[in-house]
Amino acid sequence: MGTPTTSAVKSMLEHAQTPLLMPYTGAEFLRKKPKFKVFNLRASYLDEAKEQINHLVDELGHSKIALLIQADEFGITLQKSLTTALRMKGLAPQAIGRFRRNTNEVEKALNQILQSEATAVAMVGTYEPLAEFIRLSQQHKKQLAFTTVSFASSEGLLSKLSHPSQLMITEVVPNPASCKGNICDNFRALLNAQSQPLTHAIFEGYLNALVFSRAAKMCPLPFNNNCVLKALQNVINQDLELRHLFKISPTQKKLPIFRSYHT
């Protein structure tokens, strides 16, 4: 789980040639010909960044977009993706504010962004500092538009916001509370029976387990790495229920982006 932790085990994966299955990160180094075998179910952070910038620029009309970046490898990775997405629109970050990992110390970053002419902020971090950033910006009566990525936990972030905000969160799985089909129905029934909350993160974990279990049934014991990796891709390519759930067309190579809003 996470970009820094996944990066930390790269050398071990390369040495052992152990496949990495469905990591909970959209980091680009897992998609640009890594030196070990990896199967990514979720969309990349670059895909999420493009969706956010398209939303801010094409749909809302913003051209002065600042970045709020958590100061670690997760933040650096997404800063690169967001900067790339802005460059594709002929733009550059209006300002870049940073805060330390595992803290809610966002005041300095907020002041830096408020001193710029930014009208929107693409945020990278966990949900508590992002919620604090939005809350403080509202105290300054600054009407900013916000975006952030799936890793932030949309349910956690939205639960921390007490006032309306123009916030869009990119998601890598459909809304578990409203999606349709047997997979969604079974997931909701399972969690309701266990009195567990319906969250995007738990749904992603459920889908990871579902895809792996279906792939495992395609391979004889003892498991062969190549068989499992091929079977995982076959599940995505051939399972009509999954393709319908993720809205994957027959020619589509990547899983799509979904959205959550707070207005």
Side-chain angles (χ1 to χ4, degrees):
M1 175 177 176
T3 303
T5 45
T6 305
S7 178
V9 299
K10 279 195 304 182
S11 61
M12 289 182 281
L13 294 170
E14 292 171 2
H15 176 74
Q17 284 301 296
T18 301
L20 179 63
L21 305 183
M22 295 168 281
Y24 192 74
T25 169
E28 286 299 304
F29 68 78
L30 296 173
R31 289 157 174 81
K32 291 185 175 180
K33 297 181 179 180
K35 296 179 181 179
F36 53 89
K37 295 177 180 178
V38 57
F39 178 79
N40 294 295
L41 183 62
R42 59 165 32 231
S44 72
Y45 284 149
L46 181 58
D47 293 328
E48 292 195 59
K50 288 178 181 178
E51 186 80 5
Q52 290 177 41
I53 300 306
N54 286 343
H55 169 69
L56 293 174
V57 175
D58 298 339
E59 298 174 20
L60 300 184
H62 293 281
S63 60
K64 297 179 179 180
I65 300 168
L67 305 182
L68 174 67
I69 302 294
Q70 181 171 294
D72 64 359
E73 190 158 359
F74 168 49
I76 292 170
T77 297
L78 262 159
Q79 179 182 329
K80 292 177 181 177
S81 294
L82 287 163
T83 301
T84 297
L86 284 167
R87 191 184 306 119
M88 294 171 70
K89 300 291 185 183
L91 301 173
Q94 191 73 16
I96 301 177
R98 304 184 193 279
F99 65 95
R100 289 194 298 121
R101 182 181 183 179
N102 295 328
T103 76
N104 293 343
E105 298 169 1
V106 296
E107 293 89 346
K108 183 177 179 180
L110 175 64
N111 290 333
Q112 183 179 353
I113 290 172
L114 291 179
Q115 289 172 14
S116 74
E117 297 180 353
T119 58
V121 184
M123 307 182 298
V124 180
T126 52
Y127 67 87
E128 288 191 347
L130 301 192
E132 177 71 0
F133 183 86
I134 294 173
R135 186 185 69 81
L136 291 174
S137 73
Q138 291 173 333
Q139 287 184 354
H140 284 80
K141 308 298 183 182
K142 187 73 171 179
Q143 298 299 316
L144 297 169
F146 304 99
T147 64
T148 191
V149 292
S150 56
F151 189 86
S153 171
S154 52
E155 290 82 9
L157 176 54
L158 298 181
S159 71
K160 295 286 185 180
L161 301 178
S162 56
H163 299 288
S165 62
Q166 194 171 45
L167 167 66
M168 187 272 275
I169 306 169
T170 47
E171 307 282 9
V172 296
V173 297
N175 187 333
S178 60
C179 64
K180 302 183 184 302
N182 290 334
I183 291 176
C184 298
D185 292 342
N186 292 340
F187 173 72
R188 286 190 287 264
L190 177 66
L191 264 69
N192 288 336
Q194 298 181 5
S195 300
Q196 295 292 321
L198 290 172
T199 71
H200 287 79
I202 296 176
F203 191 34
E204 183 175 350
Y206 176 82
L207 290 171
N208 288 348
L210 180 69
V211 169
F212 178 79
S213 64
R214 291 184 178 180
K217 293 175 183 177
M218 299 178 181
C219 295
L221 293 173
F223 283 137
N224 174 277
N225 287 343
N226 290 331
C227 181
V228 172
L229 288 166
K230 183 177 179 181
L232 286 165
Q233 192 59 57
N234 285 339
V235 169
I236 299 300
N237 291 342
Q238 300 172 10
D239 192 308
L240 295 179
E241 187 179 8
L242 280 168
R243 296 188 71 83
H244 175 73
L245 176 63
F246 281 102
K247 299 180 174 64
I248 305 172
S249 69
T251 58
Q252 195 170 342
K253 299 296 184 182
K254 294 189 291 187
L255 296 184
I257 301 294
F258 302 87
R259 297 182 180 185
S260 292
Y261 291 94
H262 184 263
T263 55

